[in-house]
Amino acid sequence: MNQITTIWLVEDSTVDLFINSRVLAQSGFAGDVLQVPSPEDALNALATSAVLPDLILLDIRMPEMDGFEFLEKMATLPKAIPEKVKIILLSSSIDPVDYQRALTNPLVLAFIPKPLTVEKFNNLKW
Amino acid sequence: MTIHLILNGNYSTVPDMLATEHAWRFSRLYNPEALEAVSATDLKLIICEDAHESNAWKEFAGIARCKNPDVFFILLSSNLTTNQAYCNGADIVIAPGNRQELLDCLRERMQRTYQSIQLTSRTQAGTNHIVEELQEKNKTLEKVSYELDRFVYSASHDLRAPLTSILGLLYLLRSEVSEDGPSHYIKLMEESVLKLDNTIKDIVAYSRNNRQEISSEPVVLNELVADILSGLRYLETADLNLPDIVEVQPVELFFTDRNRLQVILNNLLANAIRFRHPARKPEIKIRCMISGNDVQIDVSDNGIGISDRHIDRIFDMFYRSNEGSTGSGLGLYIVRETVRKMGGDIHVTSEIDKGACFTISIPQIVETTYKEKA
């Protein structure tokens, strides 16, 4: 947990972006939180940004590009990027296919059912 | 289809006439080729001459009838009686000179064979058609089932996404307002949203149980229960330490449909927690007995119990015995349907104010057993 200083929230719902930012603040996380409503923008930023996030909280069902497509594209970026950036999927899906895809993806650290709470966030182990 | 007609005599002109009539194939054979030809399984007719009283025809008739019991054997002979011929495997005896009788007999026989072949091929074509139609329908059903499955999950996600947002907001709101402020309203709103969310989850579980095939994997009961408890942690039990009140008797692993067993135990445990007795510390015990292929799991609690008035109906769809509960009335119905889908059964005993005990019996599902059943 100590090494997490920058978190990106990749999520199309503005309400959930707000909730997740507030929950992170309440959990005592003191680092930077960046809201990225477009997965496309997030990928571009990953490829070009000087500062990489330590963690991305990634929504699954988003218009235009879903979370799994995002992960596929992310895996094709230079190796250092997927190696550094941890991914936690965050979704209100109860589809076992989504769970299965999440848990078998090597980039994914965990799957959290929405809504995010302080308890769920603090229970994560890295 | 070709009909072989073995001719072993001098009357070739007769079948030649019929051949143009029916477009059948005739072969004119002599020993020893005839022996091979009469062994053909699709042979329908034999005309054989009792040439030089050699008795070779008896051998032909024996072999032909052995290979094809329906073959019609015409013997051309002037010496043998009908009876003698029958005894040795011929169907009819015609004198070699009686051309008209042979012609009539052949025409009738060939007509009959022709009709029976047409009937068979019509039946075959009909059967093929039905099989194709069934395969087509099966494919459509599989597709519909798959699409329905996708629809249920997509729809449930779209219904639940705003609900989880509301829950998230209420969660934040509750943590940011003082205890004596609107927190009571917030709690009620949370309960309503949870109730709606549980109904959606129940409908998805019901739909899933109906359509998904049974699967089989090894299950370690206390690990499964631990998973379930971590999911129940967020419901209405903030003041309870679940692992502390749920005791699982250690048991060896067994094979079953893990997802279905999870749905069953999740519902039973949620009920045991929901209907805990207000005056004492809840205690939930899970006992499991494996004997051969049978697995029996008891989930017992020391909760408020179920009255005799309700106990016969608690597995009914949308039946709710407790007005204050946040249940959809689907939980125990889904439990029973799921147990039955797995080939098992469920029973309940209860004493009001003392607690309830649900007993499920399911067969171990080993991959091969399931395939045999399917």
Side-chain angles (χ1 to χ4, degrees):
Chain A
M1 187 72 188
N2 308 341
Q3 67 269 44
I4 307 276
T5 56
T6 308
I7 299 179
W8 288 6
L9 305 174
V10 180
E11 159 78 67
D12 65 299
S13 155
T14 47
V15 179
D16 288 3
L17 281 173
F18 170 77
I19 295 169
N20 298 345
S21 302
R22 289 294 303 155
V23 168
L24 289 179
Q26 284 192 3
S27 76
F29 177 72
D32 294 327
V33 176
L34 184 67
Q35 302 188 357
V36 194
S38 151
E40 199 91 49
D41 291 351
L43 273 176
N44 289 336
L46 277 181
T48 56
S49 171
V51 186
L52 288 175
D54 304 297
L55 177 70
I56 292 178
L57 296 184
L58 177 66
D59 187 22
I60 293 183
R61 310 251 174 143
M62 294 177 284
E64 282 165 29
M65 184 190 292
D66 73 12
F68 293 113
E69 217 179 318
F70 179 91
L71 289 169
E72 272 172 36
K73 300 227 162 97
M74 187 178 153
T76 64
L77 294 176
K79 239 172 133 192
I81 297 169
E83 266 170 16
K84 177 180 192 300
V85 182
K86 296 182 171 71
I87 301 277
I88 286 171
L89 286 176
L90 202 55
S91 177
S92 46
S93 166
I94 47 172
D95 185 345
V97 175
D98 285 344
Y99 284 103
Q100 201 55 37
R101 286 180 77 186
L103 298 178
T104 51
N105 191 308
L107 297 181
V108 175
L109 195 71
F111 181 108
I112 297 182
K114 280 185 183 177
L116 184 67
T117 62
V118 172
E119 294 77 17
K120 289 182 195 176
F121 184 71
N122 285 342
N123 270 325
L124 289 170
K125 295 178 183 71
W126 8 68
Chain B
M1 182 167 178
T2 307
I3 304 302
H4 292 288
L5 184 66
I6 309 290
L7 302 168
N8 193 24
N10 300 320
Y11 294 87
S12 58
T13 50
V14 178
D16 281 351
M17 282 165 57
L18 291 171
T20 45
E21 206 169 306
H22 287 291
W24 289 352
R25 195 158 69 90
F26 297 88
S27 35
R28 189 179 177 84
L29 294 166
Y30 303 93
N31 294 328
E33 301 98 299
L35 261 181
E36 246 171 66
V38 294
S39 307
T41 46
D42 58 345
L43 188 65
K44 299 289 178 203
L45 262 170
I46 297 175
I47 304 174
C48 187
E49 192 171 19
D50 180 17
H52 319 301
E53 290 163 26
S54 68
N55 282 341
W57 70 271
K58 288 182 190 168
E59 201 181 340
F60 288 177
I63 294 168
R65 205 161 293 286
C66 180
K67 294 281 176 191
N68 189 348
D70 300 330
V71 76
F72 195 78
F73 196 102
I74 301 172
L75 179 67
L76 303 180
S77 171
S78 42
N79 308 322
L80 289 169
T81 64
T82 308
N83 231 2
Q84 283 170 312
Y86 281 169
C87 292
N88 290 293
D91 290 294
I92 191 167
V93 187
I94 297 173
N98 196 344
R99 198 183 155 86
Q100 191 55 48
E101 194 187 346
L102 178 61
L103 198 64
D104 290 346
C105 175
L106 270 180
R107 191 170 278 143
E108 193 229 321
R109 253 353 275 181
M110 289 169 92
Q111 193 61 43
R112 214 185 279 186
T113 312
Y114 188 68
Q115 278 167 358
S116 110
I117 286 168
Q118 275 189 327
L119 191 66
T120 312
S121 69
R122 259 208 299 273
T123 314
Q124 189 59 45
T127 312
N128 287 346
H129 181 68
I130 290 167
V131 168
E132 271 167 31
E133 214 167 79
L134 277 176
Q135 281 169 340
E136 199 57 42
K137 281 198 175 135
N138 210 21
K139 235 184 264 171
T140 315
L141 269 180
E142 270 171 25
K143 189 165 161 276
V144 167
S145 175
Y146 175 79
E147 282 171 355
L148 193 58
D149 206 50
R150 293 297 92 207
F151 170 78
V152 166
Y153 283 117
S154 293
S156 76
H157 171 267
D158 294 352
L159 289 170
R160 296 189 69 244
L163 288 187
T164 55
S165 296
I166 294 173
L167 283 173
L169 289 170
L170 290 170
Y171 169 84
L172 288 172
L173 194 54
R174 192 154 50 125
S175 67
E176 290 172 12
V177 298
S178 60
E179 267 304 303
D180 49 342
S183 69
H184 180 61
Y185 300 143
I186 295 169
K187 192 169 175 296
L188 293 180
M189 283 159 78
E190 270 180 333
E191 278 174 15
S192 298
V193 175
L194 278 174
K195 187 170 171 172
L196 186 51
D197 192 26
N198 281 335
T199 304
I200 295 170
K201 284 184 187 164
D202 282 350
I203 290 170
V204 171
Y206 170 73
S207 149
R208 181 170 192 277
N209 178 52
N210 265 346
R211 282 173 295 102
Q212 296 259 322
E213 296 210 4
I214 304 277
S215 67
S216 169
E217 58 189 300
V219 169
V220 179
L221 191 61
N222 53 356
E223 286 175 10
L224 179 65
V225 170
D227 276 1
I228 292 170
L229 294 183
S230 74
L232 292 173
R233 192 159 44 126
Y234 303 109
L235 292 178
E236 44 187 311
T237 56
D239 51 329
L240 294 171
N241 180 21
L242 296 182
D244 187 39
I245 60 170
V246 179
E247 178 200 322
V248 187
Q249 182 195 38
V251 68
E252 61 194 284
L253 65 82
F254 53 91
F255 285 82
T256 192
D257 188 321
R258 191 181 194 277
N259 284 333
R260 282 192 166 82
L261 186 58
Q262 179 157 2
V263 166
I264 294 165
L265 292 179
N266 189 62
N267 273 292
L268 294 180
L269 287 169
N271 280 349
I273 295 162
R274 194 172 289 147
F275 299 112
R276 60 189 179 271
H277 201 287
R280 56 182 172 249
K281 185 191 170 192
E283 280 173 16
I284 301 166
K285 291 194 176 74
I286 301 175
R287 302 252 171 278
C288 181
M289 279 145 287
I290 301 169
S291 87
N293 214 30
D294 299 317
V295 180
Q296 185 185 318
I297 302 172
D298 296 339
V299 179
S300 59
D301 61 57
N302 63 345
I304 57 173
I306 306 156
S307 77
D308 291 345
R309 201 154 53 87
H310 296 302
I311 203 158
D312 292 334
R313 298 189 56 196
I314 55 167
F315 293 112
D316 291 355
M317 190 189 273
F318 294 120
Y319 188 77
R320 287 186 304 157
S321 60
N322 188 315
E323 270 311 310
S325 86
T326 54
S328 61
L330 281 171
L332 284 176
Y333 170 72
I334 289 164
V335 166
R336 190 187 58 187
E337 289 304 297
T338 309
V339 170
R340 287 187 176 168
K341 184 92 178 184
M342 293 166 84
D345 213 349
I346 182 162
H347 297 286
V348 58
T349 55
S350 176
E351 203 173 325
I352 196 90
D353 245 19
K354 293 262 170 66
C357 177
F358 288 83
T359 301
I360 64 166
S361 327
I362 47 172
Q364 289 213 54
I365 299 163
V366 182
E367 212 60 60
T368 50
T369 331
Y370 172 64
K371 275 182 188 146
E372 276 164 24
K373 268 191 205 155

